[in-house]
Amino acid sequence: MFRMNLSHFQYAAIFNYGYWFLMLNLYFAIANIPFILALSTLQFIPSNMIYYFITLIPMGPALAALMASLNKIVVEKDISVTKDFWKFFKGGFPASILLWTITLALLFILTIDIAVFMDKSLFAIVSPLFIILSLLLLNMVICGLVIMTKTNHKLKSLFILSFYYSIKKFYITILNTVLACFFIFILLIKPVFAFMVLPSLIFFLIVRNSSLVFQNSNQL
């Protein structure tokens, strides 16, 4: 009887996690409807980059809400998925949209720089620098959103802490960046699959992987 009950609880847990992840993916997609429309209607070419930049802005608060929700699942093993996602979205909106938009603008500038230098003889020299800076910025914004889920810091402190942990805990944050780059890659080639299947799974792994960052940031 004990073994049957244990199996029942295991199946219930799998069902709960599946339901939570599915609903979080759905809410994440709803929060990113402008970007989904851009992906569906605009070619991915340099002249359309400004439209992609604008439609990507809501992804910052959506990511913050997604990671805060996933962190609650990790810590409490339970969540009121609809209530909590939109509560985190609203509560973290001011800080997350500033952090995300500034980082996005810097990435946008680096992308333009890469495009400008692509036909220049210096491209082979400067392109590695641009790529490293882009990865560092991506690393920092992920780290900043992770820290936001557990602590309250002003924007300046978030940038400082994000840079600090991106360098000091590189063995954690590099894996986070690899996971984020994988999500971006799938997003560009299979956007529907990326939005409906991957967000909760990818960022759940990032949240679990970032547990040490959570612990350390709580001390600051």
Side-chain angles (χ1 to χ4, degrees), residues 181-214:
C181 287
F182 173 75
F183 175 66
I184 293 169
F185 174 74
I186 301 300
L187 187 64
L188 293 176
I189 61 174
K190 295 286 184 182
V192 175
F193 175 80
F195 270 109
M196 298 313 299
V197 177
L198 289 183
S200 291
L201 178 60
I202 293 292
F203 288 96
F204 180 79
L205 295 175
I206 288 175
V207 167
R208 289 296 299 268
N209 183 53
S210 301
S211 58
L212 184 58
V213 175
F214 283 142

Side-chain angles (χ1 to χ4, degrees), residues 84-101:
D84 285 330
F85 179 89
W86 294 111
K87 180 185 75 174
F88 292 138
F89 184 89
K90 181 180 178 181
F93 189 90
S96 62
I97 201 164
L98 280 173
L99 176 68
W100 177 257
T101 304

Side-chain angles (χ1 to χ4, degrees), residues 25-216:
N25 288 345
L26 176 62
Y27 296 144
F28 182 73
I30 290 172
N32 283 287
I33 285 177
F35 181 61
I36 293 174
L37 292 175
L39 279 177
S40 304
T41 58
L42 298 175
Q43 290 183 311
F44 196 72
I45 55 177
S47 60
N48 287 332
M49 291 301 293
I50 185 62
Y51 300 108
Y52 279 105
F53 170 77
I54 293 170
T55 58
L56 271 170
I57 290 175
M59 187 175 284
L63 280 173
L66 178 64
M67 288 202 280
S69 300
L70 292 168
N71 182 61
K72 184 174 182 179
I73 292 173
V74 170
V75 174
E76 300 181 15
K77 305 295 189 292
D78 194 18
I79 188 173
S80 176
V81 64
T82 302
K83 177 182 176 181
D84 285 330
F85 179 89
W86 294 111
K87 180 185 75 174
F88 292 138
F89 184 89
K90 181 180 178 181
F93 189 90
S96 62
I97 201 164
L98 280 173
L99 176 68
W100 177 257
T101 304
I102 292 171
T103 307
L104 196 63
L106 293 173
L107 287 169
F108 180 69
I109 292 169
L110 284 171
T111 302
I112 293 175
D113 288 339
I114 291 173
V116 168
F117 278 95
M118 194 168 291
D119 297 328
K120 309 292 184 182
S121 58
L122 289 175
F123 181 73
I125 299 174
V126 299
S127 59
L129 175 61
F130 290 151
I131 292 171
I132 290 171
L133 287 174
S134 298
L135 291 175
L136 177 60
L137 284 170
L138 182 60
N139 202 341
M140 286 176 59
V141 75
I142 293 170
C143 193
L145 292 173
V146 164
I147 293 171
M148 278 183 55
T149 66
K150 294 293 284 184
T151 61
N152 267 323
H153 287 292
K154 293 183 179 179
L155 186 64
K156 181 180 177 180
S157 298
L158 271 177
F159 274 110
I160 293 172
L161 287 172
S162 299
F163 179 76
Y164 173 75
Y165 284 115
S166 294
I167 302 300
K168 184 178 180 180
K169 304 297 180 182
F170 68 92
Y171 51 89
I172 297 175
T173 56
I174 283 177
L175 179 56
N176 290 346
T177 304
V178 170
L179 289 168
C181 287
F182 173 75
F183 175 66
I184 293 169
F185 174 74
I186 301 300
L187 187 64
L188 293 176
I189 61 174
K190 295 286 184 182
V192 175
F193 175 80
F195 270 109
M196 298 313 299
V197 177
L198 289 183
S200 291
L201 178 60
I202 293 292
F203 288 96
F204 180 79
L205 295 175
I206 288 175
V207 167
R208 289 296 299 268
N209 183 53
S210 301
S211 58
L212 184 58
V213 175
F214 283 142
Q215 294 167 9
N216 288 341

